[in-house]
Amino acid sequence: MTFERISVEPMSPVIGATVSGVDLNDIRDPAVYEEIRQALWKHHVIFFRNQPLEPDAYLRLGESFGDMENHEFFPHVEGYPQIQVIRHEGNVRPETDRWHTDVTFRERPSRVAILRAVKIPPSGGDTLWASTAAAFDALGPDFQRLLLALDARHDLPWSFRLNDNYRKFAEGRVRDGKPYGDVLEEELKMVRRNPSATHPAVITHPVTNRLTLFVNSIWTMRLEGIHPDLSDQLLRMMADWVKKPEFSCRFRWEQDSVAIWDNFATQHYATFDYGPHYREMQRMTCGSTTPQLLREQVPPALWPASRT
Ligand code: SIN
């Protein structure tokens, strides 16, 4: 694809590109959004500098990737429930310092996320992305065949329990200066609201048709149909594999930098090396889609006999 309305500078042959020549607050031609989408599908994550995005322009950018989502856990910009505020201060880790794909615990995870730097620490706070499509390609046919046969369960309540989040939520509930939250109540609420979701461990990308690994270390609880011990080992192995530097890029934020990533083709990791400084980002997630593995996009020699 050649780009006529934007400039696209790849960061590596595998993942990441810097986009320039566009003012995200003032896109009038729909063809510009189309070129931004094409750059994203090609490079998995794209970066823009010096974009002091106004909320309405931010929304238009998000809408160009599909339906907008609200997020259950983050506060939002006043009047804009779709623009989540992710802020952090102090020395307690923010929990996004683990490789993950966003919200895979949902039946229809977001396909695209957009992150804007509002306030960055004096140094540090970089974010890394890894291509799960490149990670799958590099596995070789025998391993690919094995993973293509498996489904994976993704589960938010399980992940929150591992991270002791219910206690943190309960302790955070203060009325008249006194804590009143109950740990078990917090957990029950979350379990009721968030049933686990099962997705193929490898999916077909809904736009590019590339095969991409779809398990991650925050939300994937287990691979189904195999012994739990084997599931643990395989998930750990995949989590390590995705981290190979060959599949990844690292972005150093500046004020008003914007990153857009393809959530179905990447994992990301927010480094937490800046405590106790303040870091504030605005995030939007859009284009919820059911992850699928399409037989017609898998080479016949790799299609597992166990799948119909
Ligand atoms: C996220 O994990 O979505 C946030 C990434 C970041 O804060 O850099």
Side-chain angles (χ1 to χ4, degrees):
M1 156 115 200
T2 52
F3 296 98
E4 289 168 6
R5 293 164 180 86
I6 56 175
S7 301
V8 180
E9 186 71 33
M11 291 164 80
S12 85
V14 175
I15 183 167
T18 306
V19 176
S20 56
V22 59
D23 175 356
L24 296 179
N25 272 326
D26 190 26
I27 299 179
R28 290 154 196 233
D29 179 357
V32 174
Y33 286 119
E34 178 55 25
E35 290 205 357
I36 291 174
R37 280 194 295 271
Q38 292 309 322
L40 179 65
W41 308 137
K42 183 165 182 206
H43 297 285
H44 303 323
V45 54
I46 52 178
F47 304 104
F48 303 77
R49 296 285 186 195
N50 303 316
Q51 301 283 346
L53 263 176
E54 298 295 335
D56 288 322
Y58 200 175
L59 275 190
R60 284 196 295 278
L61 182 63
E63 281 161 0
S64 73
F65 292 101
D67 293 342
M68 303 298 303
E69 297 169 4
N70 295 353
H71 202 288
E72 49 273 70
F73 306 117
F74 295 107
H76 56 79
V77 171
E78 203 176 330
Y80 294 89
Q82 306 91 337
I83 305 181
Q84 306 142 27
V85 178
I86 304 183
R87 51 170 83 96
H88 195 73
E89 189 163 29
N91 283 312
V92 181
R93 40 173 293 266
E95 296 184 12
T96 43
D97 61 342
R98 291 163 66 196
W99 284 99
H100 65 286
T101 300
D102 286 332
V103 298
T104 58
F105 55 84
R106 293 184 185 156
E107 283 295 332
R108 289 163 53 80
S110 32
R111 220 173 59 185
V112 170
I114 310 177
L115 194 64
R116 168 185 171 223
V118 176
K119 183 113 183 58
I120 53 166
S123 63
D126 296 356
T127 308
L128 289 84
W129 282 265
S131 164
T132 47
F136 179 78
D137 288 349
L139 281 171
D142 293 331
F143 226 103
Q144 288 174 337
R145 214 173 282 117
L146 168 70
L147 292 171
L148 280 162
L150 298 172
D151 289 323
R153 181 110 55 93
H154 301 248
D155 193 280
L156 175 139
W158 161 81
S159 179
F160 273 20
R161 180 172 258 227
L162 279 185
N163 284 293
D164 207 14
N165 283 348
Y166 304 116
R167 186 185 54 75
K168 292 179 212 160
F169 292 154
E171 284 173 358
R173 294 204 191 282
V174 176
R175 193 187 286 139
D176 299 332
K178 294 197 189 103
Y180 72 93
D182 178 274
V183 178
L184 199 55
E185 279 300 318
E186 296 290 338
E187 181 160 0
L188 275 174
K189 236 185 317 183
M190 213 56 86
V191 170
R192 287 199 185 103
R193 282 188 203 150
N194 294 282
S196 61
T198 297
H199 307 301
V202 179
I203 61 166
T204 310
H205 189 277
V207 178
T208 63
N209 285 332
R210 274 184 85 175
L211 293 171
T212 176
L213 262 183
F214 205 66
V215 289
N216 68 87
S217 60
I218 292 194
W219 306 120
T220 313
M221 181 169 73
R222 60 162 305 184
L223 293 163
E224 295 186 328
I226 59 174
H227 194 284
D229 293 346
L230 279 176
S231 163
D232 287 350
Q233 299 284 348
L234 263 178
L235 287 175
R236 202 164 306 128
M237 209 188 279
M238 286 307 98
D240 281 347
W241 179 248
V242 165
K243 290 182 215 162
K244 265 176 88 65
E246 287 83 349
F247 311 142
S248 71
C249 66
R250 180 175 184 135
F251 186 61
R252 178 155 301 168
W253 294 97
E254 291 167 4
Q255 184 85 31
D256 292 322
S257 300
V258 170
I260 308 180
W261 68 92
D262 178 341
N263 196 45
F264 274 26
T266 55
Q267 292 187 15
H268 57 282
Y269 181 109
T271 51
F272 180 54
D273 52 1
Y274 54 87
H277 294 286
Y278 186 73
R279 180 179 186 265
E280 181 176 323
M281 314 296 273
Q282 289 179 354
R283 191 180 74 169
M284 251 173 10
T285 52
C286 22
S288 333
T289 304
T290 305
Q292 286 181 297
L293 176 63
L294 302 179
R295 183 174 191 155
E296 57 274 23
Q297 303 302 336
V298 179
L302 292 183
W303 187 258
S306 57
R307 286 202 187 272
T308 48

